Every structure is written in C-alpha cells, then in structure tokens.
Amino acid sequence: MPSRKRDRSRTPEVPWELLPSGNNIAVAAIEGGVPPAQTKRPPRAVAEATAATKEKERLAAAKNGASEAELAVATADERDSWRRLVILLAQLRGDRKVEEMLKEKHPELLPIAEKCGATSKASTSLQGAKDFARDWFARGLKGSNQHGPAARAKLCKQLIATLQEEAKGIIDGVSPSRIADVLQRGRAEDEGPLICSLMARDLKGSRYEGLWISRKGPAGHYFLGDEHEGADLPSTDKDGDPIHPRVHAVVKVINEQVVISGFFLDPEDDTMSPAKVPIGPFLSVYFEGMTVREASNAWKNGPPPIPVRAKPQAKVSTGAGAATTSHVDANLKALQAGLPPGWEVRESRSKKGVYFFAHPASGRSQMERPKA
C-alpha cells in the first residue's frame, strides 16, 4: 500500500502500520575512524597502522598454512563478535554488577556503548570503537602467541558469554508487576538492563535476534536497531520507500505484557505514532510491511520461521575477470573441503568476498568452521 502523508490532528485514528515510512528522514552516515579521545593520531597514521596490521596478519596466516579466504572468514567472525559485544554492552549499560565488572576487569570498554550510540547519536563507528579499545585487546592477548582476528574474536566471545549470563540472571523469574514498577520508577540502572534483556529474549530465534536495543531515556524510551555495519536491516519497504534503521520507541506494560506503546517516525519530531504491540510484531510491521493482524498471527506461537534466502547463482566470467573468478573458486573449494555432511560455504550478501558456513536443513549458520 502506498505511503500517505500524515495528518497530525488525526494520528491516533490512523492504523500505525499505514503511516509514512520516513521518506524524508535523513539517515546520518556514521563516519569510521578514530574516536575523539584519540584524535592525536592523524587519520593517515591510523589507516597506515591498520593496513600494516592486516598485512602482518595475512603474512602470518599464510605462514601457518591458512588461505586468504580462511583469513577473511576469521576477520568477518571478529567483526561480528565485536558487534555482538558492543550490543550487549549497550543492552546492559548501567547495570550495577556489569558496571563494576567493567571497571575492575575491562575499563577500556566502559565508554564503548555510549560512543556507539546507546543513548544518543553515535560519535564513532564500530571500527572506530574497536580502535579505541585496542588496549583492551592487547592486554587480553598479552602473553599469548595468537594475536590475529581469530584470537580477538575469541576474546570478545568470552566476555559475550559472561554478559549473556548476567542478562539471563536479570530477567529470570521477574514478574509483570515488577517490570511495571521498574518502568514507573524509571531508574536507568534498573530499567534499561531489564527491559532491554526482556525484549532481546523475545527476539531470540527470529530474524531479529541480536538487534540493537538500548535505553535512550527518559523512562520507557528505547532505541531499536542501528546504522552500524552488520545491522542487516531492510533499507526500504515493500513500496521502495526508505526505512530508518534506528527506531525511537516507547515501551510500556499493558495487560501484563511488555509492548511497544508508540514510536517516533522522525528523530527531530516529538509526535508519537501509536503501536501497542509486542516488539516482535512491531518489527515485522515496521520493517516488513505486514499489517498488525498479520504480524500478530505470525508471532502468535513464538518467533516465525526465518525466511530462507535464495542461494545466489554462480556467474561465469571470461576475459580479464576469469583469473579473479578462478582465484575465488579456489578459495571456495579450500573452504568446502572436508566439511561435515549437510554443511556448505556461502558468501555474505552484504560483504562480498566474506564467507560463512550454513546448514540448510537445520537453518543454522556460523562463522566458525563446523567440526566433523
């Protein structure tokens, strides 16, 4: 259905899924590079240092018998693990136990969530935040003989597991009345981690698992989604109109259920559009163009099946491009060799030249090479 201009005086009477999708909303590009705290290093120096590090790791991988394709997989895994870690830091921002742990063991990570946009516009990219936290990586890998992307990804995953356990402890056994009370009191250190963890749990197993969720403030106001690399959210709706990937939503407890009470189409506008649906159906309406009824039915028995994307067909190259295609084919064959039954190698849609492992029968996918 084509989008319509919003009549502000009649907003409450218009079904929210029919409101305009934000055609005039400017999506601010997040510049990569070094965060403000480290601007003493000129951009050229940072670029040269990054390039030198990548070349060093490429040579080290080659020395150890790893192909460029395997290094690309490890690099993509590191990028994904860092993203997941930052999202968890934003989700649990303010939690007393987590903050104390970070201060004591991971002080370099304390400002990362805020820099990446936990409560306001991001001041740096995920890569910029990672550069800011380079001392954390260096300290964590000190004394180890592994310093490449796989080692850094492992370091991220170790902290991810710890934070996931903290999130689980926050929401285990919590009652609707307790959730409503926390929202009413509006204490950021209690409300943010609880509401974010509850909504993250509701999305587990869906196509939106791992979505950026953070407390914007004041009480009940949250950011859903982000503009960083790897968000993989739809950029246009079914009519081809642009979709803003970062939604400012208001959360309430209605009928003992956590729901998105309303949301703001424009970050610069204070007019809230009504919703009153749980986060899952809300995202299906907002990003997929479903009606509220369709989305509610789809999520009635839990997260709907993740849609299977068509496997891209291989292209035959001739002439000057044939050598490149042959090189890529060789890398693919190297990755596919010795895979357990049912597993296959696929190329990332958003990052050309980066591959992951998929198991179509079970719907699983992962960056790590599956074990036989």
PDB file of all heavy atoms in Angstrom, residues 16 198-199 202-204 206-208 211 224 257-260 277-288 290-292 294-296 298-300 302-304:
ATOM      1  N   TRP A  16      -1.286   2.414  12.729  1.00  0.00           N
ATOM      2  CA  TRP A  16       0.106   2.872  12.692  1.00  0.00           C
ATOM      3  C   TRP A  16       0.900   2.252  11.567  1.00  0.00           C
ATOM      4  O   TRP A  16       1.854   2.834  11.071  1.00  0.00           O
ATOM      5  CB  TRP A  16       0.784   2.635  14.029  1.00  0.00           C
ATOM      6  CG  TRP A  16       1.107   1.219  14.363  1.00  0.00           C
ATOM      7  CD1 TRP A  16       0.297   0.329  14.994  1.00  0.00           C
ATOM      8  CD2 TRP A  16       2.326   0.535  14.117  1.00  0.00           C
ATOM      9  NE1 TRP A  16       0.934  -0.856  15.152  1.00  0.00           N
ATOM     10  CE2 TRP A  16       2.183  -0.763  14.624  1.00  0.00           C
ATOM     11  CE3 TRP A  16       3.536   0.888  13.514  1.00  0.00           C
ATOM     12  CZ2 TRP A  16       3.180  -1.713  14.542  1.00  0.00           C
ATOM     13  CZ3 TRP A  16       4.532  -0.056  13.441  1.00  0.00           C
ATOM     14  CH2 TRP A  16       4.351  -1.335  13.942  1.00  0.00           C
ATOM     15  N   LEU A 198      14.704  -8.284  28.361  1.00  0.00           N
ATOM     16  CA  LEU A 198      13.413  -8.919  28.095  1.00  0.00           C
ATOM     17  C   LEU A 198      13.084  -8.881  26.608  1.00  0.00           C
ATOM     18  O   LEU A 198      12.649  -9.883  26.021  1.00  0.00           O
ATOM     19  CB  LEU A 198      12.307  -8.218  28.893  1.00  0.00           C
ATOM     20  CG  LEU A 198      12.253  -8.507  30.392  1.00  0.00           C
ATOM     21  CD1 LEU A 198      11.303  -7.535  31.092  1.00  0.00           C
ATOM     22  CD2 LEU A 198      11.802  -9.947  30.644  1.00  0.00           C
ATOM     23  N   MET A 199      13.288  -7.726  25.983  1.00  0.00           N
ATOM     24  CA  MET A 199      12.975  -7.614  24.557  1.00  0.00           C
ATOM     25  C   MET A 199      13.939  -8.450  23.715  1.00  0.00           C
ATOM     26  O   MET A 199      13.539  -9.057  22.720  1.00  0.00           O
ATOM     27  CB  MET A 199      12.990  -6.150  24.130  1.00  0.00           C
ATOM     28  CG  MET A 199      11.830  -5.343  24.708  1.00  0.00           C
ATOM     29  SD  MET A 199      11.554  -3.741  23.892  1.00  0.00           S
ATOM     30  CE  MET A 199      12.977  -2.814  24.493  1.00  0.00           C
ATOM     31  N   ASP A 202      12.740 -11.953  23.767  1.00  0.00           N
ATOM     32  CA  ASP A 202      11.571 -12.162  22.917  1.00  0.00           C
ATOM     33  C   ASP A 202      11.942 -12.323  21.452  1.00  0.00           C
ATOM     34  O   ASP A 202      11.164 -12.889  20.672  1.00  0.00           O
ATOM     35  CB  ASP A 202      10.597 -10.986  23.067  1.00  0.00           C
ATOM     36  CG  ASP A 202       9.904 -10.967  24.418  1.00  0.00           C
ATOM     37  OD1 ASP A 202       9.979 -11.996  25.132  1.00  0.00           O
ATOM     38  OD2 ASP A 202       9.304  -9.932  24.772  1.00  0.00           O
ATOM     39  N   LEU A 203      13.109 -11.819  21.055  1.00  0.00           N
ATOM     40  CA  LEU A 203      13.526 -11.890  19.652  1.00  0.00           C
ATOM     41  C   LEU A 203      14.426 -13.085  19.364  1.00  0.00           C
ATOM     42  O   LEU A 203      14.770 -13.322  18.199  1.00  0.00           O
ATOM     43  CB  LEU A 203      14.266 -10.599  19.264  1.00  0.00           C
ATOM     44  CG  LEU A 203      13.453  -9.312  19.351  1.00  0.00           C
ATOM     45  CD1 LEU A 203      14.326  -8.120  18.975  1.00  0.00           C
ATOM     46  CD2 LEU A 203      12.220  -9.367  18.454  1.00  0.00           C
ATOM     47  N   LYS A 204      14.788 -13.830  20.400  1.00  0.00           N
ATOM     48  CA  LYS A 204      15.683 -14.964  20.201  1.00  0.00           C
ATOM     49  C   LYS A 204      15.059 -15.995  19.274  1.00  0.00           C
ATOM     50  O   LYS A 204      13.898 -16.376  19.438  1.00  0.00           O
ATOM     51  CB  LYS A 204      16.029 -15.604  21.554  1.00  0.00           C
ATOM     52  CG  LYS A 204      17.204 -16.556  21.478  1.00  0.00           C
ATOM     53  CD  LYS A 204      17.663 -16.973  22.864  1.00  0.00           C
ATOM     54  CE  LYS A 204      18.890 -17.873  22.761  1.00  0.00           C
ATOM     55  NZ  LYS A 204      19.394 -18.278  24.089  1.00  0.00           N
ATOM     56  N   SER A 206      14.499 -15.486  16.123  1.00  0.00           N
ATOM     57  CA  SER A 206      13.847 -14.806  14.997  1.00  0.00           C
ATOM     58  C   SER A 206      14.900 -14.160  14.107  1.00  0.00           C
ATOM     59  O   SER A 206      16.090 -14.153  14.415  1.00  0.00           O
ATOM     60  CB  SER A 206      12.888 -13.728  15.512  1.00  0.00           C
ATOM     61  OG  SER A 206      13.609 -12.570  15.934  1.00  0.00           O
ATOM     62  N   ARG A 207      14.461 -13.596  13.004  1.00  0.00           N
ATOM     63  CA  ARG A 207      15.379 -12.902  12.106  1.00  0.00           C
ATOM     64  C   ARG A 207      15.943 -11.637  12.749  1.00  0.00           C
ATOM     65  O   ARG A 207      16.916 -11.065  12.259  1.00  0.00           O
ATOM     66  CB  ARG A 207      14.661 -12.536  10.803  1.00  0.00           C
ATOM     67  CG  ARG A 207      13.539 -11.527  10.967  1.00  0.00           C
ATOM     68  CD  ARG A 207      12.792 -11.282   9.668  1.00  0.00           C
ATOM     69  NE  ARG A 207      13.675 -10.761   8.632  1.00  0.00           N
ATOM     70  CZ  ARG A 207      13.268 -10.504   7.383  1.00  0.00           C
ATOM     71  NH1 ARG A 207      12.009 -10.746   7.034  1.00  0.00           N
ATOM     72  NH2 ARG A 207      14.111 -10.016   6.507  1.00  0.00           N
ATOM     73  N   TYR A 208      15.342 -11.209  13.876  1.00  0.00           N
ATOM     74  CA  TYR A 208      15.795 -10.002  14.561  1.00  0.00           C
ATOM     75  C   TYR A 208      16.630 -10.306  15.802  1.00  0.00           C
ATOM     76  O   TYR A 208      16.922  -9.406  16.587  1.00  0.00           O
ATOM     77  CB  TYR A 208      14.587  -9.142  14.945  1.00  0.00           C
ATOM     78  CG  TYR A 208      13.789  -8.683  13.745  1.00  0.00           C
ATOM     79  CD1 TYR A 208      12.538  -9.229  13.464  1.00  0.00           C
ATOM     80  CD2 TYR A 208      14.299  -7.728  12.873  1.00  0.00           C
ATOM     81  CE1 TYR A 208      11.820  -8.830  12.353  1.00  0.00           C
ATOM     82  CE2 TYR A 208      13.584  -7.319  11.759  1.00  0.00           C
ATOM     83  CZ  TYR A 208      12.340  -7.875  11.504  1.00  0.00           C
ATOM     84  OH  TYR A 208      11.639  -7.479  10.395  1.00  0.00           O
ATOM     85  N   LEU A 211      19.334  -7.864  17.632  1.00  0.00           N
ATOM     86  CA  LEU A 211      19.016  -6.476  17.298  1.00  0.00           C
ATOM     87  C   LEU A 211      19.582  -5.529  18.358  1.00  0.00           C
ATOM     88  O   LEU A 211      19.598  -5.842  19.539  1.00  0.00           O
ATOM     89  CB  LEU A 211      17.501  -6.297  17.230  1.00  0.00           C
ATOM     90  CG  LEU A 211      16.973  -4.909  16.843  1.00  0.00           C
ATOM     91  CD1 LEU A 211      16.991  -4.736  15.330  1.00  0.00           C
ATOM     92  CD2 LEU A 211      15.554  -4.692  17.377  1.00  0.00           C
ATOM     93  N   LEU A 224      15.710   0.993  18.999  1.00  0.00           N
ATOM     94  CA  LEU A 224      15.676  -0.344  18.415  1.00  0.00           C
ATOM     95  C   LEU A 224      16.347  -0.267  17.042  1.00  0.00           C
ATOM     96  O   LEU A 224      15.934   0.515  16.190  1.00  0.00           O
ATOM     97  CB  LEU A 224      14.232  -0.836  18.248  1.00  0.00           C
ATOM     98  CG  LEU A 224      13.316  -0.755  19.475  1.00  0.00           C
ATOM     99  CD1 LEU A 224      11.913  -1.241  19.110  1.00  0.00           C
ATOM    100  CD2 LEU A 224      13.883  -1.577  20.625  1.00  0.00           C
ATOM    101  N   GLN A 257       1.959  -7.431  29.780  1.00  0.00           N
ATOM    102  CA  GLN A 257       2.854  -7.757  28.676  1.00  0.00           C
ATOM    103  C   GLN A 257       3.661  -6.523  28.279  1.00  0.00           C
ATOM    104  O   GLN A 257       3.121  -5.417  28.207  1.00  0.00           O
ATOM    105  CB  GLN A 257       2.043  -8.263  27.470  1.00  0.00           C
ATOM    106  CG  GLN A 257       2.892  -8.792  26.337  1.00  0.00           C
ATOM    107  CD  GLN A 257       2.038  -9.372  25.220  1.00  0.00           C
ATOM    108  OE1 GLN A 257       0.892  -8.960  25.006  1.00  0.00           O
ATOM    109  NE2 GLN A 257       2.570 -10.341  24.496  1.00  0.00           N
ATOM    110  N   VAL A 258       4.950  -6.722  28.041  1.00  0.00           N
ATOM    111  CA  VAL A 258       5.801  -5.623  27.584  1.00  0.00           C
ATOM    112  C   VAL A 258       5.503  -5.366  26.109  1.00  0.00           C
ATOM    113  O   VAL A 258       5.628  -6.267  25.278  1.00  0.00           O
ATOM    114  CB  VAL A 258       7.293  -5.966  27.768  1.00  0.00           C
ATOM    115  CG1 VAL A 258       8.172  -4.851  27.204  1.00  0.00           C
ATOM    116  CG2 VAL A 258       7.623  -6.190  29.238  1.00  0.00           C
ATOM    117  N   VAL A 259       5.108  -4.136  25.796  1.00  0.00           N
ATOM    118  CA  VAL A 259       4.738  -3.811  24.422  1.00  0.00           C
ATOM    119  C   VAL A 259       5.385  -2.499  23.988  1.00  0.00           C
ATOM    120  O   VAL A 259       5.794  -1.677  24.810  1.00  0.00           O
ATOM    121  CB  VAL A 259       3.207  -3.685  24.244  1.00  0.00           C
ATOM    122  CG1 VAL A 259       2.497  -4.962  24.643  1.00  0.00           C
ATOM    123  CG2 VAL A 259       2.660  -2.493  25.041  1.00  0.00           C
ATOM    124  N   ILE A 260       5.467  -2.313  22.680  1.00  0.00           N
ATOM    125  CA  ILE A 260       5.850  -1.033  22.110  1.00  0.00           C
ATOM    126  C   ILE A 260       4.573  -0.201  22.058  1.00  0.00           C
ATOM    127  O   ILE A 260       3.684  -0.451  21.250  1.00  0.00           O
ATOM    128  CB  ILE A 260       6.447  -1.193  20.695  1.00  0.00           C
ATOM    129  CG1 ILE A 260       7.612  -2.188  20.711  1.00  0.00           C
ATOM    130  CG2 ILE A 260       6.899   0.163  20.154  1.00  0.00           C
ATOM    131  CD1 ILE A 260       8.755  -1.796  21.607  1.00  0.00           C
ATOM    132  N   VAL A 277       1.854  -3.062  20.461  1.00  0.00           N
ATOM    133  CA  VAL A 277       2.094  -4.470  20.138  1.00  0.00           C
ATOM    134  C   VAL A 277       3.454  -4.865  20.708  1.00  0.00           C
ATOM    135  O   VAL A 277       4.319  -4.016  20.912  1.00  0.00           O
ATOM    136  CB  VAL A 277       2.079  -4.727  18.616  1.00  0.00           C
ATOM    137  CG1 VAL A 277       0.691  -4.565  18.044  1.00  0.00           C
ATOM    138  CG2 VAL A 277       3.074  -3.823  17.896  1.00  0.00           C
ATOM    139  N   PRO A 278       3.676  -6.159  20.955  1.00  0.00           N
ATOM    140  CA  PRO A 278       4.996  -6.608  21.421  1.00  0.00           C
ATOM    141  C   PRO A 278       6.073  -6.299  20.383  1.00  0.00           C
ATOM    142  O   PRO A 278       5.772  -6.045  19.213  1.00  0.00           O
ATOM    143  CB  PRO A 278       4.806  -8.113  21.615  1.00  0.00           C
ATOM    144  CG  PRO A 278       3.336  -8.282  21.829  1.00  0.00           C
ATOM    145  CD  PRO A 278       2.688  -7.244  20.958  1.00  0.00           C
ATOM    146  N   ILE A 279       7.321  -6.381  20.802  1.00  0.00           N
ATOM    147  CA  ILE A 279       8.418  -5.978  19.931  1.00  0.00           C
ATOM    148  C   ILE A 279       8.503  -6.804  18.644  1.00  0.00           C
ATOM    149  O   ILE A 279       8.795  -6.261  17.574  1.00  0.00           O
ATOM    150  CB  ILE A 279       9.770  -6.026  20.686  1.00  0.00           C
ATOM    151  CG1 ILE A 279      10.894  -5.452  19.800  1.00  0.00           C
ATOM    152  CG2 ILE A 279      10.073  -7.426  21.195  1.00  0.00           C
ATOM    153  CD1 ILE A 279      12.212  -5.296  20.498  1.00  0.00           C
ATOM    154  N   GLY A 280       8.249  -8.109  18.720  1.00  0.00           N
ATOM    155  CA  GLY A 280       8.337  -8.940  17.524  1.00  0.00           C
ATOM    156  C   GLY A 280       7.386  -8.494  16.423  1.00  0.00           C
ATOM    157  O   GLY A 280       7.811  -8.169  15.304  1.00  0.00           O
ATOM    158  N   PRO A 281       6.069  -8.472  16.704  1.00  0.00           N
ATOM    159  CA  PRO A 281       5.129  -7.989  15.698  1.00  0.00           C
ATOM    160  C   PRO A 281       5.416  -6.556  15.253  1.00  0.00           C
ATOM    161  O   PRO A 281       5.242  -6.209  14.084  1.00  0.00           O
ATOM    162  CB  PRO A 281       3.773  -8.091  16.415  1.00  0.00           C
ATOM    163  CG  PRO A 281       3.964  -9.195  17.395  1.00  0.00           C
ATOM    164  CD  PRO A 281       5.382  -9.055  17.871  1.00  0.00           C
ATOM    165  N   PHE A 282       5.872  -5.713  16.193  1.00  0.00           N
ATOM    166  CA  PHE A 282       6.198  -4.331  15.835  1.00  0.00           C
ATOM    167  C   PHE A 282       7.264  -4.289  14.745  1.00  0.00           C
ATOM    168  O   PHE A 282       7.135  -3.563  13.751  1.00  0.00           O
ATOM    169  CB  PHE A 282       6.684  -3.568  17.062  1.00  0.00           C
ATOM    170  CG  PHE A 282       7.241  -2.205  16.737  1.00  0.00           C
ATOM    171  CD1 PHE A 282       6.397  -1.130  16.503  1.00  0.00           C
ATOM    172  CD2 PHE A 282       8.609  -2.003  16.622  1.00  0.00           C
ATOM    173  CE1 PHE A 282       6.901   0.127  16.173  1.00  0.00           C
ATOM    174  CE2 PHE A 282       9.127  -0.751  16.296  1.00  0.00           C
ATOM    175  CZ  PHE A 282       8.268   0.312  16.070  1.00  0.00           C
ATOM    176  N   LEU A 283       8.316  -5.073  14.918  1.00  0.00           N
ATOM    177  CA  LEU A 283       9.403  -5.077  13.930  1.00  0.00           C
ATOM    178  C   LEU A 283       8.943  -5.633  12.592  1.00  0.00           C
ATOM    179  O   LEU A 283       9.374  -5.157  11.530  1.00  0.00           O
ATOM    180  CB  LEU A 283      10.586  -5.888  14.466  1.00  0.00           C
ATOM    181  CG  LEU A 283      11.275  -5.314  15.711  1.00  0.00           C
ATOM    182  CD1 LEU A 283      12.308  -6.308  16.243  1.00  0.00           C
ATOM    183  CD2 LEU A 283      11.926  -3.974  15.421  1.00  0.00           C
ATOM    184  N   SER A 284       8.057  -6.638  12.623  1.00  0.00           N
ATOM    185  CA  SER A 284       7.556  -7.201  11.365  1.00  0.00           C
ATOM    186  C   SER A 284       6.713  -6.194  10.602  1.00  0.00           C
ATOM    187  O   SER A 284       6.743  -6.145   9.371  1.00  0.00           O
ATOM    188  CB  SER A 284       6.724  -8.467  11.645  1.00  0.00           C
ATOM    189  OG  SER A 284       7.554  -9.536  12.072  1.00  0.00           O
ATOM    190  N   VAL A 285       5.966  -5.374  11.323  1.00  0.00           N
ATOM    191  CA  VAL A 285       5.185  -4.327  10.671  1.00  0.00           C
ATOM    192  C   VAL A 285       6.105  -3.228  10.155  1.00  0.00           C
ATOM    193  O   VAL A 285       6.011  -2.799   8.999  1.00  0.00           O
ATOM    194  CB  VAL A 285       4.132  -3.730  11.634  1.00  0.00           C
ATOM    195  CG1 VAL A 285       3.416  -2.548  10.982  1.00  0.00           C
ATOM    196  CG2 VAL A 285       3.116  -4.793  12.034  1.00  0.00           C
ATOM    197  N   TYR A 286       7.014  -2.797  11.014  1.00  0.00           N
ATOM    198  CA  TYR A 286       7.873  -1.661  10.669  1.00  0.00           C
ATOM    199  C   TYR A 286       8.821  -1.980   9.514  1.00  0.00           C
ATOM    200  O   TYR A 286       8.961  -1.203   8.568  1.00  0.00           O
ATOM    201  CB  TYR A 286       8.667  -1.231  11.899  1.00  0.00           C
ATOM    202  CG  TYR A 286       9.517   0.005  11.675  1.00  0.00           C
ATOM    203  CD1 TYR A 286       8.968   1.283  11.800  1.00  0.00           C
ATOM    204  CD2 TYR A 286      10.858  -0.099  11.332  1.00  0.00           C
ATOM    205  CE1 TYR A 286       9.736   2.416  11.586  1.00  0.00           C
ATOM    206  CE2 TYR A 286      11.635   1.025  11.119  1.00  0.00           C
ATOM    207  CZ  TYR A 286      11.069   2.280  11.243  1.00  0.00           C
ATOM    208  OH  TYR A 286      11.836   3.396  11.024  1.00  0.00           O
ATOM    209  N   PHE A 287       9.484  -3.129   9.589  1.00  0.00           N
ATOM    210  CA  PHE A 287      10.500  -3.446   8.598  1.00  0.00           C
ATOM    211  C   PHE A 287       9.983  -4.280   7.416  1.00  0.00           C
ATOM    212  O   PHE A 287      10.536  -4.212   6.326  1.00  0.00           O
ATOM    213  CB  PHE A 287      11.667  -4.194   9.250  1.00  0.00           C
ATOM    214  CG  PHE A 287      12.557  -3.318  10.085  1.00  0.00           C
ATOM    215  CD1 PHE A 287      12.636  -3.503  11.464  1.00  0.00           C
ATOM    216  CD2 PHE A 287      13.316  -2.316   9.515  1.00  0.00           C
ATOM    217  CE1 PHE A 287      13.461  -2.701  12.244  1.00  0.00           C
ATOM    218  CE2 PHE A 287      14.138  -1.506  10.284  1.00  0.00           C
ATOM    219  CZ  PHE A 287      14.208  -1.697  11.657  1.00  0.00           C
ATOM    220  N   GLU A 288       8.951  -5.089   7.643  1.00  0.00           N
ATOM    221  CA  GLU A 288       8.499  -6.000   6.595  1.00  0.00           C
ATOM    222  C   GLU A 288       7.203  -5.577   5.932  1.00  0.00           C
ATOM    223  O   GLU A 288       6.780  -6.186   4.945  1.00  0.00           O
ATOM    224  CB  GLU A 288       8.345  -7.408   7.175  1.00  0.00           C
ATOM    225  CG  GLU A 288       9.638  -7.952   7.776  1.00  0.00           C
ATOM    226  CD  GLU A 288       9.406  -9.218   8.580  1.00  0.00           C
ATOM    227  OE1 GLU A 288       8.784 -10.167   8.040  1.00  0.00           O
ATOM    228  OE2 GLU A 288       9.826  -9.258   9.761  1.00  0.00           O
ATOM    229  N   MET A 290       4.128  -5.779   7.135  1.00  0.00           N
ATOM    230  CA  MET A 290       2.935  -6.561   7.486  1.00  0.00           C
ATOM    231  C   MET A 290       1.889  -5.648   8.128  1.00  0.00           C
ATOM    232  O   MET A 290       2.209  -4.573   8.636  1.00  0.00           O
ATOM    233  CB  MET A 290       3.282  -7.670   8.481  1.00  0.00           C
ATOM    234  CG  MET A 290       4.130  -8.787   7.946  1.00  0.00           C
ATOM    235  SD  MET A 290       4.285 -10.094   9.219  1.00  0.00           S
ATOM    236  CE  MET A 290       5.380 -11.238   8.395  1.00  0.00           C
ATOM    237  N   THR A 291       0.633  -6.094   8.130  1.00  0.00           N
ATOM    238  CA  THR A 291      -0.370  -5.419   8.933  1.00  0.00           C
ATOM    239  C   THR A 291      -0.201  -5.891  10.373  1.00  0.00           C
ATOM    240  O   THR A 291       0.473  -6.904  10.641  1.00  0.00           O
ATOM    241  CB  THR A 291      -1.784  -5.760   8.462  1.00  0.00           C
ATOM    242  OG1 THR A 291      -2.020  -7.165   8.679  1.00  0.00           O
ATOM    243  CG2 THR A 291      -1.974  -5.438   6.977  1.00  0.00           C
ATOM    244  N   VAL A 292      -0.790  -5.183  11.308  1.00  0.00           N
ATOM    245  CA  VAL A 292      -0.690  -5.594  12.714  1.00  0.00           C
ATOM    246  C   VAL A 292      -1.279  -6.984  12.896  1.00  0.00           C
ATOM    247  O   VAL A 292      -0.720  -7.820  13.629  1.00  0.00           O
ATOM    248  CB  VAL A 292      -1.411  -4.578  13.624  1.00  0.00           C
ATOM    249  CG1 VAL A 292      -1.495  -5.106  15.046  1.00  0.00           C
ATOM    250  CG2 VAL A 292      -0.687  -3.238  13.614  1.00  0.00           C
ATOM    251  N   GLU A 294      -1.531  -9.430  10.640  1.00  0.00           N
ATOM    252  CA  GLU A 294      -0.634 -10.423  10.048  1.00  0.00           C
ATOM    253  C   GLU A 294       0.569 -10.677  10.952  1.00  0.00           C
ATOM    254  O   GLU A 294       0.961 -11.829  11.177  1.00  0.00           O
ATOM    255  CB  GLU A 294      -0.149  -9.941   8.678  1.00  0.00           C
ATOM    256  CG  GLU A 294      -1.210  -9.956   7.597  1.00  0.00           C
ATOM    257  CD  GLU A 294      -0.752  -9.263   6.323  1.00  0.00           C
ATOM    258  OE1 GLU A 294       0.223  -8.472   6.390  1.00  0.00           O
ATOM    259  OE2 GLU A 294      -1.365  -9.488   5.273  1.00  0.00           O
ATOM    260  N   ALA A 295       1.145  -9.609  11.459  1.00  0.00           N
ATOM    261  CA  ALA A 295       2.324  -9.744  12.315  1.00  0.00           C
ATOM    262  C   ALA A 295       1.980 -10.452  13.623  1.00  0.00           C
ATOM    263  O   ALA A 295       2.733 -11.300  14.105  1.00  0.00           O
ATOM    264  CB  ALA A 295       2.916  -8.370  12.590  1.00  0.00           C
ATOM    265  N   SER A 296       0.845 -10.109  14.212  1.00  0.00           N
ATOM    266  CA  SER A 296       0.436 -10.738  15.472  1.00  0.00           C
ATOM    267  C   SER A 296       0.201 -12.233  15.278  1.00  0.00           C
ATOM    268  O   SER A 296       0.581 -13.049  16.126  1.00  0.00           O
ATOM    269  CB  SER A 296      -0.828 -10.058  16.005  1.00  0.00           C
ATOM    270  OG  SER A 296      -0.571  -8.697  16.318  1.00  0.00           O
ATOM    271  N   ALA A 298       1.606 -14.062  12.934  1.00  0.00           N
ATOM    272  CA  ALA A 298       2.901 -14.677  12.631  1.00  0.00           C
ATOM    273  C   ALA A 298       3.690 -14.975  13.903  1.00  0.00           C
ATOM    274  O   ALA A 298       4.413 -15.968  13.981  1.00  0.00           O
ATOM    275  CB  ALA A 298       3.704 -13.770  11.709  1.00  0.00           C
ATOM    276  N   TRP A 299       3.541 -14.112  14.917  1.00  0.00           N
ATOM    277  CA  TRP A 299       4.280 -14.266  16.181  1.00  0.00           C
ATOM    278  C   TRP A 299       3.434 -14.934  17.268  1.00  0.00           C
ATOM    279  O   TRP A 299       3.888 -15.035  18.412  1.00  0.00           O
ATOM    280  CB  TRP A 299       4.736 -12.901  16.681  1.00  0.00           C
ATOM    281  CG  TRP A 299       5.875 -12.317  15.908  1.00  0.00           C
ATOM    282  CD1 TRP A 299       5.818 -11.679  14.696  1.00  0.00           C
ATOM    283  CD2 TRP A 299       7.250 -12.318  16.288  1.00  0.00           C
ATOM    284  NE1 TRP A 299       7.074 -11.283  14.301  1.00  0.00           N
ATOM    285  CE2 TRP A 299       7.973 -11.657  15.270  1.00  0.00           C
ATOM    286  CE3 TRP A 299       7.942 -12.799  17.410  1.00  0.00           C
ATOM    287  CZ2 TRP A 299       9.352 -11.483  15.321  1.00  0.00           C
ATOM    288  CZ3 TRP A 299       9.318 -12.616  17.458  1.00  0.00           C
ATOM    289  CH2 TRP A 299      10.009 -11.963  16.423  1.00  0.00           C
ATOM    290  N   LYS A 300       2.267 -15.403  16.931  1.00  0.00           N
ATOM    291  CA  LYS A 300       1.337 -15.942  17.928  1.00  0.00           C
ATOM    292  C   LYS A 300       1.945 -17.080  18.729  1.00  0.00           C
ATOM    293  O   LYS A 300       1.763 -17.173  19.952  1.00  0.00           O
ATOM    294  CB  LYS A 300       0.055 -16.420  17.228  1.00  0.00           C
ATOM    295  CG  LYS A 300      -1.029 -16.869  18.188  1.00  0.00           C
ATOM    296  CD  LYS A 300      -2.303 -17.233  17.426  1.00  0.00           C
ATOM    297  CE  LYS A 300      -3.418 -17.644  18.372  1.00  0.00           C
ATOM    298  NZ  LYS A 300      -4.664 -17.994  17.631  1.00  0.00           N
ATOM    299  N   GLY A 302       5.239 -17.783  18.959  1.00  0.00           N
ATOM    300  CA  GLY A 302       6.676 -17.555  19.068  1.00  0.00           C
ATOM    301  C   GLY A 302       7.232 -16.960  17.782  1.00  0.00           C
ATOM    302  O   GLY A 302       6.478 -16.658  16.846  1.00  0.00           O
ATOM    303  N   PRO A 303       8.535 -16.787  17.697  1.00  0.00           N
ATOM    304  CA  PRO A 303       9.141 -16.196  16.503  1.00  0.00           C
ATOM    305  C   PRO A 303       8.794 -16.985  15.242  1.00  0.00           C
ATOM    306  O   PRO A 303       8.872 -18.223  15.240  1.00  0.00           O
ATOM    307  CB  PRO A 303      10.641 -16.262  16.799  1.00  0.00           C
ATOM    308  CG  PRO A 303      10.735 -16.319  18.282  1.00  0.00           C
ATOM    309  CD  PRO A 303       9.540 -17.092  18.725  1.00  0.00           C
ATOM    310  N   PRO A 304       8.405 -16.315  14.171  1.00  0.00           N
ATOM    311  CA  PRO A 304       8.107 -17.013  12.920  1.00  0.00           C
ATOM    312  C   PRO A 304       9.385 -17.564  12.300  1.00  0.00           C
ATOM    313  O   PRO A 304      10.487 -17.103  12.619  1.00  0.00           O
ATOM    314  CB  PRO A 304       7.492 -15.914  12.039  1.00  0.00           C
ATOM    315  CG  PRO A 304       8.031 -14.635  12.597  1.00  0.00           C
ATOM    316  CD  PRO A 304       8.180 -14.862  14.071  1.00  0.00           C
TER     317      PRO A 304
END
